[in-house]
Amino acid sequence: KNKKKRQEQYQSTKNKNECTISTFIMMMEIDDDDNKVAVVISTLNEVILYNNDSSTSDEDSSKRKVQQIENKLQKEGISADIFMSVLAPNLFSTTSKRFDDSSSLSLKLSSKETIEILIMMVTSNQSKYLKAASKAVKKFVFKYDAERKNDNSASPPFYVSDNLLNLMVFQLSDSLDVEVSSNATETLLLLCCQMEKKDSSSSAVETSAEEVKISLVMRSLNAISQAFQVAWEKKKQRKNFQHSSTSCVRCVTAIIMLLSSNNEKKNTTTTAVLASETGLENEKKKALDNCLLPMLLDESDILLQMSAFDLMEQLVQNVSSAAGDNDAVVVNWVLSKSLLEPIFGMAGDNEQHDPDPSLGPLAIRLLSRVCSMQQQNTTTINYEDTTSSSWIRTQFHHVLRNTEGRSEIDRVSYLDAVSCFVSSTAEALELILDDDLISENWLSIAVSQPKLQSSILHSVAGALNSHFQNSTLCMRLFTMFGQINSKSVYSSPLELVTSLAKSSITEIRLGAYTLLEAVTCQPTFARLVFMGSNGLFETLLTRKGIEMTTEGKEAKFRIVKAILSQQRLVSLIDPNLVKVLEKYVSQGPYYVETLSWDVATL
């Protein structure tokens, strides 16, 4: 009956377009018995509202309330999860006053009182209530957000008080339990990403929701930055060093997630929203300057620096993948000279500065991503505050010349950096091809292990695909690859790749197939290459032999299809061979010729 009554009340308010947090609380479904939920509500109402004794101290009163609640929960067999599930919705009450609801089904507590109860219970038994609280809050926020998206009524966004925000940030940064910290981070991220529904007809409601969101993001960045500063001071004073370092990483991770999740275009341009956005931009820059930059430059803790490089790369990657909707504040901060100069120094930007033995490969990898990001965000860059693209390319070129792959691991980092760099612009690829030393280090497969050889082949294929429309540049790259590795054994680079496609090592074969596929996709380039092909078609059309992997069969099939799709290339091939290629395609990549057996008789 209670459950049905709550659902009827909720449906009534929803039909009137008056859905609020409090009405959603009435229809909130708990996985456990409804009777237990009613017991929790009545217990909290009784203990908090009707047992106020002014003759005792606050500490004694808190202990007595906790004991009363504990006794009731234990007597009724109510778990901490159920208790916190009832408590969680009230944390987001939009008013500081208690709900004025005559129904006995409602929890008659303000948001502040609910937070106080939560803190009391967690403090009394952290192992029992802390994780349950974080799970309950996360579950409610995700459930209410899903309800808002599916509901046709103009449901309001979440209201997050300063006390609740500080509580979540404390769990995010200072909790020893990884699950609690993760729950707090995910919950805060969803709260900061909340948006008014697209079909909302009221521009005033839409503007209000946008202001609420921007305000919450600003407050969250500020609160997380303050938590970082507390942890940073403890780390510098060597107080609980390991936990303080972990807290710093958590805070910066949360900041990057917030920055990356708020890149969408704004639909409203009112004065209030624009003013809020200006404040948000300042808060973003302040968070990056005060949190991420100190971690990156802290030479006293190399592990923390390595974490900072990983986080920086994640930030750059998120900005690069935003499809033109990038955050100009973040882009210009990443390209600032105050940030890039020390990173170039770690990477070894001149002969006087050797690469840092530990951070050098990470710095090179990060800088290659920065070069690529700069080319994708030319419209958002403020060149008064940032470095020019030519300066970055020149400095990165110096880094590559000053770096030698002393081991296979260093060579992998070097290869990854060059691949990302040459794929960014034609100028970057020309810069590398003009340098014999860098080209040799990048393209040579002479003394490499099989997996590294495969990585080199994939790298060349990626560069060809990135400069698809520049046949001259692609031809130059492919020719240089052949010259560096042929050593007069093969007459053309295509013969070299064909020989690699016959290798007994799977990684090398798959890498060769990838490069062949990239070559066949170049219209003009492919005709010039395939005119001198020897043994290529025999390798592709042979279904028997060493190629037994699914990936290899599919790769060969794609190459043959790509050849047939080039009409001018097909015109250069013998008509009989074209028919064989077409038959190969019609049979599919997994075709196996069956053998007919005559029935043996005695």
Side-chain angles (χ1 to χ4, degrees):
K1 291 182 180 179
N2 291 340
K3 193 170 186 179
K4 184 177 180 181
K5 182 177 179 181
R6 286 206 305 274
Q7 290 174 341
E8 289 175 352
Q9 290 175 330
Y10 173 70
Q11 190 62 44
S12 175
T13 55
K14 192 166 74 168
N15 293 338
K16 296 177 182 178
N17 203 27
E18 296 175 353
C19 180
T20 64
I21 294 284
S22 59
T23 56
F24 184 79
I25 293 171
M26 289 191 294
M27 60 74 61
M28 179 91 175
E29 292 182 354
I30 310 298
D31 293 336
D32 297 83
D33 253 343
D34 208 57
N35 289 334
K36 293 182 179 180
V37 175
V39 170
V40 173
I41 293 175
S42 62
T43 300
L44 288 171
N45 287 339
E46 180 181 354
V47 170
I48 305 302
L49 302 183
Y50 307 124
N51 287 344
N52 292 323
D53 187 358
S54 58
S55 62
T56 59
S57 64
D58 291 341
E59 184 177 353
D60 293 338
S61 177
S62 297
K63 289 181 179 179
R64 189 180 70 253
K65 291 176 180 178
V66 169
Q67 190 61 47
Q68 289 176 338
I69 295 173
E70 283 273 18
N71 292 340
K72 191 68 173 179
L73 297 181
Q74 186 174 0
K75 179 181 177 181
E76 299 293 338
I78 299 174
S79 66
D81 290 332
I82 297 178
F83 175 77
M84 288 300 175
S85 296
V86 177
L87 207 61
N90 243 58
L91 295 170
F92 299 93
S93 170
T94 56
T95 175
S96 59
K97 299 180 180 180
R98 295 169 179 167
F99 286 128
D100 185 16
D101 192 343
S102 58
S103 172
S104 60
L105 303 175
S106 299
L107 192 59
K108 300 179 176 65
L109 300 176
S110 66
S111 174
K112 182 179 179 181
E113 288 173 324
T114 307
I115 293 174
E116 290 175 354
I117 296 172
L118 188 147
I119 293 175
M120 281 192 309
M121 301 303 294
V122 170
T123 304
S124 67
N125 193 336
Q126 185 168 332
S127 62
K128 180 178 180 180
Y129 290 105
L130 180 58
K131 187 177 293 187
S134 69
K135 289 165 59 178
V137 174
K138 176 184 173 181
K139 179 180 178 181
F140 171 73
V141 170
F142 275 77
K143 188 169 184 178
Y144 181 70
D145 183 70
E147 175 71 17
R148 290 178 64 244
K149 290 177 180 178
N150 296 328
D151 196 354
N152 291 326
S153 61
S155 306
F158 287 101
Y159 168 77
V160 182
S161 65
D162 290 337
N163 291 334
L164 179 57
L165 177 60
N166 292 332
L167 186 62
M168 285 191 290
V169 171
F170 178 79
Q171 290 185 352
L172 177 157
S173 62
D174 207 55
S175 176
L176 296 174
D177 192 305
V178 177
E179 183 179 352
V180 172
S181 176
S182 177
N183 288 339
T185 303
E186 292 178 28
T187 302
L188 184 59
L189 185 65
L190 180 60
L191 290 170
C192 290
C193 292
Q194 59 180 320
M195 289 293 293
E196 192 62 34
K197 298 202 319 308
K198 295 180 181 179
D199 58 350
S200 176
S201 58
S202 173
S203 59
V205 173
E206 189 175 321
T207 301
S208 176
E210 187 65 36
E211 289 183 56
V212 169
K213 175 188 172 182
I214 293 175
S215 174
L216 180 57
V217 174
M218 290 175 58
R219 290 160 52 210
S220 299
L221 289 173
N222 184 48
I224 296 172
S225 298
Q226 291 180 10
F228 174 88
Q229 294 301 327
V230 172
W232 189 254
E233 288 300 320
K234 289 181 179 179
K235 190 189 80 69
K236 291 199 303 185
Q237 298 171 10
R238 315 296 292 188
K239 294 180 179 178
N240 201 353
F241 184 84
Q242 184 175 354
H243 180 60
S244 300
S245 299
T246 302
S247 297
C248 291
V249 174
R250 286 177 178 177
C251 289
V252 175
T253 302
I255 288 173
I256 290 177
M257 292 174 70
L258 282 174
L259 296 180
S260 303
S261 62
N262 285 277
N263 287 333
E264 67 277 350
K265 292 180 179 179
K266 308 299 186 298
N267 296 322
T268 53
T269 57
T270 63
T271 304
V273 171
L274 291 176
S276 300
E277 289 178 359
T278 302
L280 178 58
E281 291 176 357
N282 295 333
E283 204 64 53
K284 289 179 180 179
K285 189 175 184 303
K286 191 188 305 181
L288 292 170
D289 285 336
N290 297 337
C291 301
L292 182 53
L293 188 59
M295 276 182 58
L296 201 64
L297 304 180
D298 181 23
E299 298 180 356
S300 65
D301 189 348
I302 190 170
L303 294 179
L304 199 62
Q305 277 186 293
M306 295 174 74
S307 298
F309 270 103
D310 290 340
L311 292 170
M312 269 291 299
E313 185 176 342
Q314 179 182 341
L315 178 65
V316 172
Q317 183 177 354
N318 291 339
V319 171
S320 300
S321 61
D325 242 352
N326 300 330
D327 194 329
V329 175
V330 178
V331 171
N332 288 298
W333 184 84
V334 170
L335 297 176
S336 62
K337 209 163 188 176
S338 59
L339 174 67
L340 291 182
E341 280 188 336
I343 297 178
F344 273 117
M346 297 176 196
D349 57 347
N350 55 59
E351 296 179 357
Q352 285 74 33
H353 291 100
D354 291 332
D356 188 287
S358 301
L359 301 176
L362 296 177
I364 294 175
R365 179 183 173 90
L366 174 61
L367 289 170
S368 66
R369 269 65 178 169
V370 171
C371 293
S372 179
M373 182 201 72
Q374 187 182 44
Q375 298 304 318
Q376 298 176 22
N377 296 275
T378 54
T379 58
T380 61
I381 297 175
N382 180 6
Y383 286 103
E384 295 181 1
D385 301 328
T386 61
T387 54
S388 65
S389 58
S390 60
W391 181 84
I392 293 180
R393 281 201 303 269
T394 303
Q395 290 296 105
F396 191 69
H397 178 237
H398 292 161
V399 167
L400 294 177
R401 282 195 61 85
N402 199 36
T403 304
E404 295 181 6
R406 299 179 177 86
S407 65
E408 290 289 323
I409 296 178
D410 292 340
R411 185 90 187 276
V412 169
S413 300
Y414 183 88
L415 177 63
D416 178 75
V418 175
S419 301
C420 185
F421 181 64
V422 299
S423 298
S424 59
T425 62
E427 291 79 7
L429 178 56
E430 289 177 348
L431 190 65
I432 298 301
L433 295 179
D434 289 337
D435 193 304
D436 294 336
L437 176 62
I438 300 178
S439 298
E440 178 82 20
N441 291 337
W442 173 32
L443 299 175
S444 176
I445 61 174
V447 293
S448 302
Q449 296 295 325
K451 290 185 178 180
L452 186 55
Q453 289 185 27
S454 179
S455 298
I456 294 172
L457 294 170
H458 280 90
S459 175
V460 177
L464 293 177
N465 291 328
S466 299
H467 304 287
F468 175 83
Q469 297 179 342
N470 195 333
S471 297
T472 303
L473 189 59
C474 289
M475 186 57 143
R476 183 184 175 192
L477 169 60
F478 194 62
T479 302
M480 181 170 287
F481 173 76
Q483 292 172 348
I484 290 175
N485 294 288
S486 292
K487 307 301 182 186
S488 301
V489 177
Y490 303 101
S491 60
S492 70
L494 189 61
E495 284 192 23
L496 168 64
V497 182
T498 302
S499 69
L500 295 174
K502 299 176 183 178
S503 172
S504 59
I505 302 175
T506 303
E507 290 86 351
I508 296 179
R509 288 202 314 275
L510 296 180
Y513 293 150
T514 303
L515 181 52
L516 285 173
E517 186 177 357
V519 170
T520 56
C521 290
Q522 307 282 337
T524 305
F525 174 36
R527 294 202 306 275
L528 297 175
V529 171
F530 277 84
M531 286 176 66
S533 62
N534 291 319
L536 173 63
F537 293 110
E538 180 183 354
T539 303
L540 293 176
L541 296 173
T542 300
R543 293 190 182 272
K544 300 177 182 179
I546 59 175
E547 191 52 71
M548 303 299 293
T549 66
T550 301
E551 296 85 353
K553 293 177 180 178
E554 292 175 348
K556 291 170 65 175
F557 182 76
R558 289 195 301 270
I559 294 171
V560 175
K561 284 190 67 176
I563 292 173
L564 291 175
S565 66
Q566 305 288 346
Q567 294 299 324
R568 293 186 179 180
L569 179 58
V570 172
S571 65
L572 301 175
I573 303 174
D574 184 86
N576 294 326
L577 179 57
V578 173
K579 292 180 180 180
V580 176
L581 293 173
E582 291 174 344
K583 182 179 179 181
Y584 181 93
V585 171
S586 65
Q587 290 172 341
Y590 312 112
Y591 175 79
V592 177
E593 186 175 352
T594 58
L595 297 176
S596 59
W597 295 87
D598 294 332
V599 179
T601 58
L602 293 177

